[in-house]
Amino acid sequence: VSPDFQVAPASGAVFAGTEGAGLYRSMDGGKSWQALTSFPGISSDLTQVSVNTLFFDSKGVLYAGTSGQGILASADLGETWRSLLQIDDVILRLAGHGTRLLAGALEHGLLVSNDDGETWQIVEELSARQVTQMAALAHRQAGAAFLAAGYVEGAWVYTPTAMNATGEWQRIGEPGAIDQPIIALQAAHGAAQKRFLALSSNYLKAAHDPQQDWTTLFESSNRLTTLACSGEEIYLGSLNGEIWHSPDGGAGWEKLPAPWRNARILALQVRQSSPHLLTIYAVTGMEGDGMMALWRTESTRIDWKPLYQERANGLPASLVLLPAAAGSPSDQDILLAAGTEIFIPGQNDWRRQ
């Protein structure tokens, strides 16, 4: 589901990529959906293509990474399209900053464009590394520092010193090496300064400069599954249903009380509801019977309330926070995607889409 709605919050546009069924669009914040049956400007039939990743840039251009049809772009919320890169590969992840775009691919590794996708070059150091996670932080001297994480082979960092087509990429090694597959990678904006957060199944690490020391913020013998943060507040979910919270950027941690048993944490999201209040959402799943549940609590008093539960056809799940339709954010401004379905809050209950 399209991850960034700040470019045109008044439009209510949300996009959902599917596996083998093309792209869907909602113009009312997820309440109703229509399949895009035509892509003006594109000659190929894309109604049965897999759309694996979506990215909005700061100018409001939507980029879609596909399986076999390369990368597509639309500057008018899906009314017209153009092909940026024709490549017989699976595009796994898209990211960018300014005019620079990055595409992680299954076979070609990492591809970089410095001109809004007009031309592309393969980063030789990361070829065939299945780049699945990427993040960018604005660099005070030159452009942005990018971090690319291969699913198997740790993480690589781009240093904005040589501003050629592909830049300079180096694998992160000692000290504080990221030496495990990366589940989540975020550019976090805390009270002190910006930094990268990298989550593996066993640890959470952070670095202000990814070429320097990486600090281990959290270690766990239980497999970690998801990461959510807001400022200095960090939340981690695990395979055995635990949720860990740090209020101070990772210096101290507490395990939050939870009412569920024998469930895994599938997704976490955190929203600033007021200057001193966070709303926390968690999605839990039972592997045996496929039961999925959405829970909610406030940061000032941990008291989880179930919002919705359903037998889902597939795991994992993703939780999307939409801009508030009016006034303060509420539970009406979220989407839950799981398997082949999207669930939205209705007037009295949740509805499948």
Side-chain angles (χ1 to χ4, degrees):
V1 179
S2 47
D4 189 352
F5 308 96
Q6 303 309 311
V7 292
S11 71
V14 188
F15 292 83
T18 69
E19 182 178 353
L23 188 63
Y24 281 70
R25 180 178 63 183
S26 170
M27 296 302 292
D28 53 13
K31 295 179 177 61
S32 61
W33 293 84
Q34 296 81 37
L36 295 185
T37 57
S38 64
F39 291 76
I42 305 295
S43 57
S44 303
D45 179 12
L46 302 179
T47 56
Q48 295 183 331
V49 74
S50 292
V51 179
N52 310 310
T53 177
L54 297 165
F55 170 69
F56 268 116
D57 70 10
S58 60
K59 298 180 287 294
V61 178
L62 173 65
Y63 300 89
T66 70
S67 296
Q69 295 293 332
I71 301 172
L72 313 174
S74 174
D76 51 15
L77 299 178
E79 294 299 318
T80 60
W81 294 83
R82 61 192 183 101
S83 176
L84 292 184
L85 176 66
Q86 280 286 346
I87 188 171
D88 186 16
D89 203 343
V90 178
I91 305 299
L92 301 170
R93 184 71 63 172
L94 293 170
H97 181 83
T99 60
R100 178 171 285 126
L101 294 173
L102 280 75
L106 183 65
E107 299 292 339
H108 290 79
L110 186 67
L111 301 103
V112 177
S113 171
N114 274 353
D115 50 14
D116 288 323
E118 296 298 328
T119 59
W120 295 82
Q121 292 194 21
I122 296 174
V123 178
E124 295 298 334
E125 298 94 328
L126 280 85
S127 61
R129 293 190 185 273
Q130 299 185 17
V131 177
T132 59
Q133 301 286 342
M134 289 185 285
L137 273 179
H139 192 279
R140 62 178 178 271
Q141 293 180 336
F146 286 97
L147 197 62
Y151 181 73
V152 176
E153 300 184 55
W156 294 68
V157 62
Y158 167 83
T159 56
T161 53
M163 303 299 287
N164 54 44
T166 56
E168 295 179 352
W169 288 86
Q170 297 178 349
R171 184 171 181 177
I172 295 174
E174 297 292 344
I178 294 179
D179 53 2
Q180 295 184 9
I182 302 301
I183 299 169
L185 190 60
Q186 288 192 19
H189 299 258
Q193 55 183 316
K194 303 173 183 177
R195 60 179 178 170
F196 287 107
L197 296 176
L199 180 70
S200 78
S201 60
N202 296 117
Y203 58 65
L204 174 69
K205 294 191 177 187
H208 298 292
D209 182 346
Q211 282 191 306
Q212 304 301 319
D213 292 5
W214 282 79
T215 303
T216 299
L217 301 181
F218 185 85
E219 288 186 280
S220 175
S221 57
N222 296 316
R223 182 179 171 186
L224 301 172
T225 57
T226 185
L227 160 70
C229 59
S230 176
E232 295 295 314
E233 307 273 351
I234 306 175
Y235 295 84
L236 300 175
S238 71
L239 194 65
N240 68 346
E242 295 178 344
I243 294 180
W244 291 85
H245 167 235
S246 173
D248 49 17
W253 293 87
E254 61 176 344
K255 185 171 74 170
L256 300 185
W260 49 79
R261 296 290 183 269
N262 302 318
R264 61 177 65 182
I265 306 299
L266 304 179
L268 284 174
Q269 282 285 12
V270 181
R271 171 144 50 196
Q272 191 84 42
S273 303
S274 68
H276 304 290
L277 180 67
L278 292 176
T279 300
I280 309 157
Y281 296 96
V283 181
T284 61
M286 306 291 292
E287 188 171 10
D289 60 7
M291 184 62 72
M292 177 188 66
L294 172 62
W295 304 78
R296 174 192 184 276
T297 188
E298 293 182 345
S299 57
T300 53
R301 182 173 180 268
I302 303 301
D303 183 20
W304 295 97
K305 302 294 185 184
L307 295 181
Y308 183 68
Q309 64 178 8
E310 183 68 56
R311 293 190 188 278
N313 293 330
L315 302 175
S318 61
L319 194 58
V320 180
L321 302 182
L322 303 176
S328 301
S330 72
D331 298 340
Q332 298 294 307
D333 303 314
I334 57 179
L335 297 177
L336 173 60
T340 60
E341 297 166 314
I342 290 179
F343 303 91
I344 65 169
Q347 184 137 15
N348 300 310
D349 202 350
W350 285 61
R351 295 184 289 118
R352 296 172 183 257
Q353 293 293 309

